[in-house]
Amino acid sequence: LMSSFTKAPLRVLVTGAAGQIAYSLIFRIAHGDAFGRDQPVILHLLDLPFAESRLQGTVMEITDCAFPLVHGVVATSDPKTAFTDIDYAALVGAMPRKEGMQRADLLKANAKIFIEQGRMLNEFAKKTVKVIVVGNPANTNAAITAIHAPTIPRENITSMSALDHNRLVGQIAERLSVPNDAVKNVCIFGNHSKTMVPCVEFATVHLADGTVKSVREAVANDLWIDNELTPIVQERGTAVIHARGMSSAASAANAVVSHLSAWHLGTAPGQHVSMGVWMDGTVFSVPAGIVFSVPVTVTDGQWAVAADLDVSRIQEMIMASATELLGERAHAGFSSEE
């Protein structure tokens, strides 16, 4: 039982564990990228019975990596086993959108899945569990999960917008020929859909000559920012599918890692990240009862909305995304009062 690590292991659940995103994600978590290189983990891997053989293959590969931080693997198709005593959950598994499927059908199919996941969290997970919903439509799936896990704090159930956030950073860094970490404080508002609002209003860039400028000033081309950058970020997932013939997997997994490490280890002073979080009706005029991406800072594992930012320039787009999410909530067949 001797281990060189002093911290107790975290139990980390990944659902859809035999799928493409999980295949990138599991190994990043096992390597220490999400929770730190000194934090052991026990991996809980859940997928449906039909995927059992493929999941066993992944478990064999985890064994073959001999990761110092992996102190156990629980691979199962039984939700109770998977959700018992977990500290973190990455809910990746969802019903993919099939050819000719309307978004409303997708919402209903996924509502069933996430009602069940909410109940499992409620019944079996630690009450302090922290959840990121990745499976699309992620914002509404997260809201459904939260409503069906009434004993888990609402703020502990989030949705992923870090992929959109990282895509925005990547585009700006490429445009300005600077390293990615020179670009700070971009953010994503709203739904993970075509109504998302990629925002550079508060973003800065550290230029090669040592000066720090606002992204708008450094780019010096408002037409590019407003008319080209926004649709590139909004439609990037589709562009990747056209190019690869498959949807974003490694970049999605990397975004889960971004989200988890910010949540677990905190954000740097003066910097915010983007997370889909439960709205209580007090920030940015967004109505209560939906999960909505906003800029947050994280201290000691608790996120706080960067609510003092002036969003007047993009308020109309923020409200359009909120309206879409209220519509999704209605289509999925739940109210925030359930």
Side-chain angles (χ1 to χ4, degrees), residues 268-303:
Q271 286 181 47
H272 55 244
V273 295
S274 303
M275 286 186 188
V277 298
W278 185 267
M279 291 289 105
D280 61 5
T282 65
V283 294
F284 306 124
S285 308
V286 176
I290 54 178
V291 169
F292 196 86
S293 179
V294 289
V296 300
T297 56
V298 184
T299 315
D300 300 326
Q302 300 296 314
W303 56 262

Side-chain angles (χ1 to χ4, degrees), residues 181-264:
D181 67 352
V183 180
K184 309 273 192 238
N185 290 344
V186 305
C187 56
I188 302 292
F189 285 93
N191 196 4
H192 177 68
S193 75
K194 294 282 163 65
T195 68
M196 82 174 78
V197 188
C199 171
V200 302
E201 304 311 314
F202 320 108
T204 59
V205 57
H206 211 109
L207 295 166
D209 64 6
T211 59
V212 177
K213 287 186 173 169
S214 77
V215 164
R216 270 198 189 272
E217 190 189 348
V219 169
N221 186 337
D222 281 349
L223 273 176
W224 180 78
I225 289 176
D226 297 330
N227 300 343
E228 288 185 50
L229 177 61
T230 294
I232 287 171
V233 174
Q234 288 170 334
E235 291 158 29
R236 185 69 161 183
T238 309
V240 170
I241 290 175
H242 284 317
R244 276 195 87 225
M246 291 190 288
S247 58
S248 314
S251 55
N254 178 69
V256 179
V257 170
S258 297
H259 183 116
L260 290 173
S261 72
W263 204 355
H264 190 71

Side-chain angles (χ1 to χ4, degrees), residues 2-328:
M2 283 305 290
S3 157
S4 48
F5 301 103
T6 54
K7 293 181 176 176
L10 292 171
R11 290 185 178 269
V12 183
L13 167 64
V14 178
T15 70
Q20 280 281 83
I21 293 174
Y23 189 68
S24 282
L25 174 61
I26 290 162
F27 295 91
R28 296 284 305 274
I29 292 171
H31 189 244
D33 294 351
F35 302 107
R37 295 288 162 85
D38 60 346
Q39 176 59 65
V41 293
I42 296 168
L43 297 167
H44 285 224
L45 307 177
L46 175 67
D47 214 319
L48 298 167
F50 80 84
E52 203 160 352
S53 166
R54 200 187 326 167
L55 184 55
Q56 282 312 315
T58 299
V59 174
M60 290 161 73
E61 287 203 75
I62 295 167
T63 301
D64 297 348
C65 289
F67 288 114
L69 291 171
V70 175
H71 285 203
V73 180
V74 178
T76 184
S77 59
D78 173 52
K80 179 182 173 180
T81 306
F83 280 85
T84 295
D85 285 339
I86 55 170
D87 297 287
Y88 279 91
L91 304 183
V92 180
M95 161 91 69
R97 191 167 181 170
K98 306 229 167 64
E99 201 70 51
M101 199 182 206
Q102 295 305 307
R103 196 169 165 92
D105 301 332
L106 186 71
L107 282 159
K108 282 207 174 67
N110 278 295
K112 287 196 184 76
I113 295 170
F114 287 89
I115 286 169
E116 180 64 12
Q117 309 239 295
R119 288 176 180 153
M120 292 291 134
L121 285 164
N122 203 52
E123 213 171 323
F124 302 117
K126 288 186 180 145
K127 294 304 172 200
T128 51
V129 67
K130 291 179 173 170
V131 181
I132 172 176
V133 175
V134 180
N136 282 318
N139 300 63
T140 294
N141 289 344
I144 291 168
T145 304
I147 285 163
H148 290 90
T151 65
I152 308 291
R154 287 268 155 101
E155 62 268 21
N156 284 19
I157 297 177
T158 63
S159 74
M160 181 166 90
S161 55
L163 180 53
D164 306 312
H165 181 108
N166 291 344
R167 283 166 170 165
L168 182 53
V169 170
Q171 291 300 314
I172 293 164
E174 202 170 76
R175 174 86 184 188
L176 294 171
S177 304
V178 296
N180 291 300
D181 67 352
V183 180
K184 309 273 192 238
N185 290 344
V186 305
C187 56
I188 302 292
F189 285 93
N191 196 4
H192 177 68
S193 75
K194 294 282 163 65
T195 68
M196 82 174 78
V197 188
C199 171
V200 302
E201 304 311 314
F202 320 108
T204 59
V205 57
H206 211 109
L207 295 166
D209 64 6
T211 59
V212 177
K213 287 186 173 169
S214 77
V215 164
R216 270 198 189 272
E217 190 189 348
V219 169
N221 186 337
D222 281 349
L223 273 176
W224 180 78
I225 289 176
D226 297 330
N227 300 343
E228 288 185 50
L229 177 61
T230 294
I232 287 171
V233 174
Q234 288 170 334
E235 291 158 29
R236 185 69 161 183
T238 309
V240 170
I241 290 175
H242 284 317
R244 276 195 87 225
M246 291 190 288
S247 58
S248 314
S251 55
N254 178 69
V256 179
V257 170
S258 297
H259 183 116
L260 290 173
S261 72
W263 204 355
H264 190 71
L265 301 168
T267 48
Q271 286 181 47
H272 55 244
V273 295
S274 303
M275 286 186 188
V277 298
W278 185 267
M279 291 289 105
D280 61 5
T282 65
V283 294
F284 306 124
S285 308
V286 176
I290 54 178
V291 169
F292 196 86
S293 179
V294 289
V296 300
T297 56
V298 184
T299 315
D300 300 326
Q302 300 296 314
W303 56 262
V305 180
D308 51 347
L309 299 174
D310 175 11
V311 297
S312 50
R313 184 174 176 144
I314 52 170
Q315 187 69 54
E316 210 171 300
M317 291 187 286
I318 287 175
M319 295 319 283
S321 203
T323 302
E324 180 183 55
L325 279 165
L326 290 170
E328 285 192 12

